[in-house]
């Protein structure tokens, strides 16, 4: 679970690579999952993307699978 602190971004999470609670940059990206051009507009899904500011490890999770 993410928590806030007094840092610039304010999000700390457990990093699987570092094994520590570290500051993460957190964003939401809309990704197209279909490779077929005619269905691409119907296959966009939100993903939560986190990046550890200590080691650079990135993780993404489909939000409707959370």
């Amino acid at each position: 679970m993410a928590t806030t602190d007094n840092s610039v971004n304010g999000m700390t999470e457990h990093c699987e690579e570092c094994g520590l609670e570290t500051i993460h940059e957190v964003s939401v990206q809309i990704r197209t999952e279909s490779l077929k051009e005619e269905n691409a507009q119907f296959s966009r899904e939100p993903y939560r993307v986190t990046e550890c500011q200590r080691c650079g490890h990135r993780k993404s999770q489909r939000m409707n699978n959370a």
Side-chain angles (χ1 to χ4, degrees):
M1 176 64 80
T3 60
T4 60
D5 62 14
N6 293 328
S7 64
V8 174
N9 192 5
M11 298 297 296
T12 59
E13 295 189 14
H14 180 77
C15 177
E16 296 171 0
E17 288 291 312
C18 296
L20 303 168
E21 293 289 319
T22 60
I23 297 172
H24 281 67
E25 183 176 313
V26 180
S27 62
V28 175
Q29 295 179 352
I30 304 298
R31 296 184 182 172
T32 302
E33 295 181 336
S34 176
L35 299 176
K36 298 179 183 178
E37 193 171 313
E38 65 272 7
N39 293 331
Q41 64 184 346
F42 302 109
S43 69
R44 294 178 290 202
E45 297 292 338
Y47 280 78
R48 182 179 189 271
V49 181
T50 61
E51 182 176 346
C52 177
Q53 298 301 292
R54 182 171 186 251
C55 72
H57 177 72
R58 289 179 59 111
K59 179 180 176 184
S60 63
Q61 180 180 11
R62 191 174 178 194
M63 290 182 68
N64 48 353
N65 289 351

